[in-house]
Amino acid sequence: MIVNPQLTMKFTQLEEAMQTPHNPHPKIQRVTHYLRDRKHFTMHYSPKLVSIGPIHHGEKNLNLGEQYKLMWASMYLKRNEQNPQTLYQKIAEKIEQLKDLFAKDVIEGFHDNEKLSWMLFVDGCSLLQILDEGNLDNSKKMNVKLDQLALVRQDVLLLENQLPYQVLKLLSVRENDANLLKIMNKFLQCHHLSPVRPHQSAEKWDVDKDQDSEEEYTSITLTEEETQQPHKESPIHLLDQLRRAILHDPPAKEAKNQDRKQKGMRNNKGNNKNEDNGMITYRNIKELRAAGIRLNSSKSRRLRDIKFSCGWLCAELKLPVIIVDDTTAPTFLNLIAYEMCPDFENNYEICSFVAFMDSLIDHPDDVKELRSAGILLNALGSDEEVSKLFNTIGTDLVPDMDKYAHIRPQIEKHYRNKCKTWIALGYHTYFSNPWAFIAFLAAVFALLLTFIQTLFAINPAS
């Protein structure tokens, strides 16, 4: 056998590829090309004013942001009475470990550790200043205009604009997880997807209790005990913390128990297939309403709070409150891109929710129904724009089909039961509000009078 050095090297690479260690946590990386290359999507992955981290560092259109970052870093150091040299040294001493938190192609432009250390030091200090003082109610604390601060708050939540949590912890005043998480949660609670209202505590997520105890619900909502337990692991970065806040993931043990319970429910109800073609048909809002399924708000902003109840008189689908504005597309797209990172193991909760909403919204009339039910708050524009938004961001997603596996069959079963559908539709049409009920009674009374009049006409009194 002829020994070819190049061929031998290729076989060596093949052997080494099989032994590549698995990353326990996702690294800071770029948005995958098959997401970024989609038409009209690129703009939602790139910062508009400020770059954080190495990916967009030094881009010409972000020069103003570089000046702002130096200013904010200086403000952070002065406000907390920190020595710049001391904080920088903390980063420089651990730069080799910090480099392992980034994908190789992300930091290849930083040829020496000093350049990378300085960038992480400035960007980290400025980000901490943004998290602590970047309140839209008082933009003067950041020494920028309100419109610029709004862009900054959006920029720091982009996937390609993230810094590792470890960098922020090294630069924080106390190097304390509890204090840093408190600052991050305080910043995130003003986001429209956060389950916490601005007037609530950032340390405790709100739990909205359902009062409809008489109905049997099939739902994917967390228990109060789960919501009060803190996360055992630190977040990967700020975007990861936003995702955790939105989903409020239960600890690992409770999550496994919940998954086991859901699987048991699915096994008891049978496979996720209908009797005709073996697949669950996706129904939009218009079709659900035609089948007598009433829409209602779950009175919370937690994406997990989706419930379906079914009785003889009415059926109801409860959905969380969603605010749709200019930040909705970039937020969802970056969360989706994060879930689709090759080294991030997750259950595709955000992808699944967006796909679920996309299946419900086909036309502007569907958006109108959601608005009327108090589920969707439209701060974007016309209903047509909102419909197009969900249809666009829901394209090419690969959701977890089991995520709503115990909701969809219930809806489909009700939809296909004509008797229940007619009763529910009649109840919704004639008894859903006082005016409809009065009109129904008037129609019955008129019909009764007509019947009596006809009866007397046929059999006149002698």
Side-chain angles (χ1 to χ4, degrees):
M1 181 177 180
I2 300 175
V3 178
N4 185 325
Q6 293 184 349
L7 187 59
T8 302
M9 182 178 66
K10 290 179 180 179
F11 276 110
T12 302
Q13 292 174 345
L14 181 64
E15 184 68 25
E16 291 175 351
M18 297 176 61
Q19 301 174 359
T20 301
H22 177 72
N23 296 323
H25 302 292
K27 296 188 176 185
I28 305 296
Q29 58 198 284
R30 303 178 191 274
V31 175
T32 53
H33 69 89
Y34 48 84
L35 292 179
R36 176 178 277 281
D37 292 346
R38 292 184 295 178
K39 189 178 181 180
H40 306 308
F41 280 29
T42 302
M43 57 181 285
H44 296 305
Y45 298 121
S46 302
K48 295 178 174 62
L49 182 60
V50 173
S51 71
I52 300 291
I55 296 179
H56 294 279
H57 182 78
E59 292 183 2
K60 291 183 179 181
N61 63 312
L62 302 176
N63 284 339
L64 179 60
E66 292 298 316
Q67 299 175 31
Y68 283 160
K69 285 192 298 183
L70 283 173
M71 175 182 66
W72 294 331
S74 178
M75 293 167 66
Y76 171 77
L77 295 168
K78 182 177 180 180
R79 181 169 59 87
N80 292 285
E81 299 180 349
Q82 295 292 302
N83 184 289
Q85 288 82 5
T86 302
L87 278 188
Y88 169 79
Q89 196 60 33
K90 287 183 179 181
I91 298 294
E93 289 175 354
K94 296 194 174 184
I95 192 60
E96 290 299 331
Q97 296 96 309
L98 296 177
K99 286 168 67 174
D100 289 336
L101 303 177
F102 295 88
K104 289 184 179 180
D105 67 304
V106 165
I107 56 174
E108 61 185 3
F110 293 82
H111 303 296
D112 60 81
N113 289 345
E114 183 177 319
K115 181 180 178 182
L116 181 60
S117 299
W118 179 256
M119 185 274 296
L120 294 179
F121 166 67
V122 173
D123 286 12
C125 289
S126 62
L127 179 56
L128 287 170
Q129 177 69 9
I130 294 169
L131 295 180
D132 213 10
E133 298 291 333
N135 193 327
L136 291 176
D137 293 335
N138 193 354
S139 60
K140 293 182 179 179
K141 286 187 175 182
M142 298 293 290
N143 198 22
V144 294
K145 295 175 61 180
L146 180 61
D147 60 311
Q148 292 177 317
L149 184 56
L151 290 177
V152 171
R153 291 181 62 91
Q154 186 173 324
D155 282 346
V156 298
L157 290 173
L158 302 178
L159 177 61
E160 296 185 343
N161 242 14
Q162 298 303 303
L163 281 184
Y165 177 83
Q166 289 87 332
V167 172
L168 298 180
K169 186 175 179 181
L170 285 172
L171 296 173
S172 61
V173 179
R174 303 174 187 173
E175 288 192 44
N176 181 283
D177 284 301
N179 184 65
L180 180 54
L181 287 174
K182 182 179 178 180
I183 294 173
M184 295 173 75
N185 289 336
K186 180 183 176 183
F187 176 84
L188 293 173
Q189 76 177 32
C190 293
H191 197 281
H192 65 77
L193 285 179
S194 172
V196 181
R197 279 67 167 177
H199 64 273
Q200 294 172 337
S201 170
E203 298 176 356
K204 181 180 178 180
W205 305 117
D206 180 44
V207 179
D208 295 303
K209 296 183 179 179
D210 204 327
Q211 301 299 325
D212 301 324
S213 57
E214 296 181 0
E215 298 178 341
E216 182 178 356
Y217 281 108
T218 301
S219 67
I220 48 171
T221 181
L222 297 179
T223 64
E224 186 171 359
E225 181 182 357
E226 289 171 338
T227 57
Q228 292 178 350
Q229 293 182 5
H231 299 296
K232 294 181 179 180
E233 293 185 1
S234 300
I236 309 302
H237 40 60
L238 183 63
L239 183 65
D240 181 64
Q241 182 64 9
L242 173 62
R243 180 178 178 274
R244 295 186 185 203
I246 293 171
L247 300 174
H248 203 86
D249 295 332
K253 183 177 180 181
E254 283 75 10
K256 290 180 181 178
N257 292 336
Q258 188 181 35
D259 290 341
R260 192 180 298 114
K261 181 180 179 181
Q262 290 181 3
K263 288 179 181 179
M265 291 173 63
R266 291 196 294 270
N267 291 335
N268 291 334
K269 297 179 184 300
N271 295 330
N272 304 327
K273 302 176 181 179
N274 62 39
E275 297 175 358
D276 292 343
N277 55 20
M279 295 294 292
I280 289 296
T281 303
Y282 285 73
R283 308 288 182 186
N284 58 35
I285 295 295
K286 186 177 181 180
E287 290 179 293
L288 298 185
R289 295 282 286 174
I293 297 177
R294 183 175 59 187
L295 298 173
N296 208 344
S297 167
S298 61
K299 308 298 183 183
S300 81
R301 293 194 289 183
R302 292 177 298 159
L303 301 192
R304 292 177 180 271
D305 281 353
I306 298 178
K307 308 173 183 178
F308 180 73
S309 62
C310 181
W312 278 104
L313 290 179
C314 65
E316 183 179 64
L317 177 63
K318 284 193 172 185
L319 297 170
V321 177
I322 306 169
I323 301 174
V324 180
D325 58 16
D326 292 334
T327 67
T328 301
T331 301
F332 272 128
L333 286 171
N334 280 272
L335 286 168
I336 288 169
Y338 177 46
E339 287 191 342
M340 295 178 71
C341 286
D343 59 352
F344 180 30
E345 292 187 4
N346 62 91
N347 293 323
Y348 297 97
E349 287 93 341
I350 302 296
C351 291
S352 301
F353 176 79
V354 172
F356 182 77
M357 293 301 299
D358 181 35
S359 70
L360 295 177
I361 300 174
D362 277 342
H363 308 285
D365 288 343
D366 297 327
V367 177
K368 183 179 179 180
E369 292 287 352
L370 290 172
R371 284 196 298 104
S372 300
I375 295 169
L376 190 147
L377 306 179
N378 185 2
L380 182 64
S382 66
D383 291 340
E384 185 176 359
E385 288 182 83
V386 177
S387 174
K388 188 181 297 184
L389 170 67
F390 277 98
N391 295 158
T392 301
I393 64 178
T395 304
D396 299 330
L397 295 185
V398 184
D400 180 4
M401 299 306 296
D402 288 340
K403 191 58 62 181
Y404 301 97
H406 54 299
I407 296 260
R408 290 193 184 280
Q410 294 273 39
I411 295 176
E412 185 67 16
K413 183 178 179 181
H414 173 85
Y415 188 89
R416 294 168 65 83
N417 189 323
K418 295 303 181 183
C419 183
K420 273 191 173 184
T421 298
W422 291 337
I423 293 174
L425 183 58
Y427 177 82
H428 170 74
T429 303
Y430 299 110
F431 300 97
S432 58
N433 62 72
W435 294 112
F437 181 63
I438 292 172
F440 174 76
L441 289 180
V444 172
F445 184 68
L447 186 62
L448 183 61
L449 288 179
T450 303
F451 174 76
I452 295 174
Q453 184 180 11
T454 304
L455 185 64
F456 276 98
I458 296 174
N459 300 299
S462 55

